[in-house]
Amino acid sequence: MATGYLIPAAEASAQITDRGSRFLGICTCVETVEEARAFLQEVRRRHADASHHVYAFAVGHGASVTHGMSDDGEPSGTAGRPVLAVVQGAGLGDLIVVVIRWFGGTKLGTGGLVRAYTKAAQQALAATSTVRRVQTKTVVMRLPYDRYDACLESLRRAAEQDPENAVEIVDEAFAEHATVHLCGPEEGVDAMIIRFRDVTSGRAQLLDCVS
């Protein structure tokens, strides 16, 4: 199974109404906090007539993630936090959910706001298609000439056995030793380093690594 995490594949939206107020949830992919802020400003321009532009985002995934949120004028804890809870529970990374509200004249109360913002965020995420983001890695390895062909065969077999983690040679040089640049998903590259060392009885050397 390929490593990495799921992210939104494209912008998606969903709309609900509650006692006259309209809530539009929008979800999209953002790779940095700056991108999240820029998207929020774009949404505010698109829907400048709205009463509130509540948001929550998660940049990164798992142990390496940055969160942000705002109630944007709604009572504290009734908007941004519920949307953030939906974002955190979605199992996705690199995403922002903005819920835009047009006030309909009837106050919803604390519980009503929490339910409405939660539902709008959930429906926006339900409408969102996903793709897998895989962290790639590039390494430089030195191989002995007498095991070079065997290493290439090992690389080919590994790609057949696990296509999602297939590693490829993106550059190579030939001097006293053969030097190859391997690139692919982290899991596949790490496994290939071990395989090359096995094939060469430990003579394959890792010269450089760039994640």
Side-chain angles (χ1 to χ4, degrees):
M1 180 180 295
T3 55
Y5 55 92
L6 295 175
I7 63 172
E11 183 178 320
S13 63
Q15 182 172 286
I16 67 167
T17 57
D18 190 336
R19 284 167 283 180
S21 284
R22 182 160 59 99
F23 296 83
L24 175 64
I26 303 175
C27 177
T28 196
C29 179
V30 290
E31 297 183 24
T32 65
V33 173
E34 290 73 23
E35 281 188 19
R37 290 171 177 160
F39 181 74
L40 176 63
Q41 291 304 315
E42 179 188 336
V43 169
R44 283 176 170 157
R45 285 193 296 272
R46 284 189 216 166
H47 305 289
D49 61 331
S51 309
H52 304 278
H53 302 83
V54 171
Y55 71 87
F57 64 78
V59 173
H61 186 260
S64 178
V65 62
T66 300
H67 292 111
M69 67 175 188
S70 172
D71 293 311
D72 194 35
E74 294 283 31
S76 179
T78 64
R81 191 162 297 282
V83 175
L84 179 60
V86 174
V87 166
Q88 290 176 316
L92 307 182
D94 294 339
L95 77 158
I96 184 171
V97 174
V98 184
V99 179
I100 303 105
R101 180 191 183 189
W102 288 265
F103 181 58
T106 301
K107 292 184 178 181
L108 304 185
T110 299
L113 286 172
V114 170
R115 287 190 294 273
Y117 278 105
T118 297
K119 185 176 180 181
Q122 289 173 334
Q123 293 203 3
L125 278 164
T128 301
S129 59
T130 61
V131 294
R132 183 169 294 277
R133 170 162 288 162
V134 178
Q135 183 65 44
T136 60
K137 185 176 186 178
T138 301
V139 299
V140 182
M141 295 201 72
R142 177 180 292 161
L143 308 176
Y145 277 116
D146 63 340
R147 301 302 295 161
Y148 176 77
D149 289 339
C151 287
L152 293 191
E153 177 62 19
S154 179
L155 187 72
R156 184 190 66 78
R157 287 200 306 270
E160 289 180 350
Q161 294 165 1
D162 188 4
E164 288 188 343
N165 278 312
V167 176
E168 61 178 345
I169 295 177
V170 295
D171 195 13
E172 55 189 342
F174 302 97
E176 183 179 352
H177 302 277
T179 302
V180 295
H181 295 236
L182 304 177
C183 183
E186 282 188 340
E187 183 177 306
V189 171
D190 290 342
M192 191 51 56
I193 292 170
I194 294 172
R195 290 180 74 137
F196 276 7
R197 285 172 173 161
D198 289 343
V199 168
T200 63
S201 300
R203 289 183 292 155
Q205 296 181 354
L206 178 63
L207 302 181
D208 195 12
C209 175
V210 180
S211 294

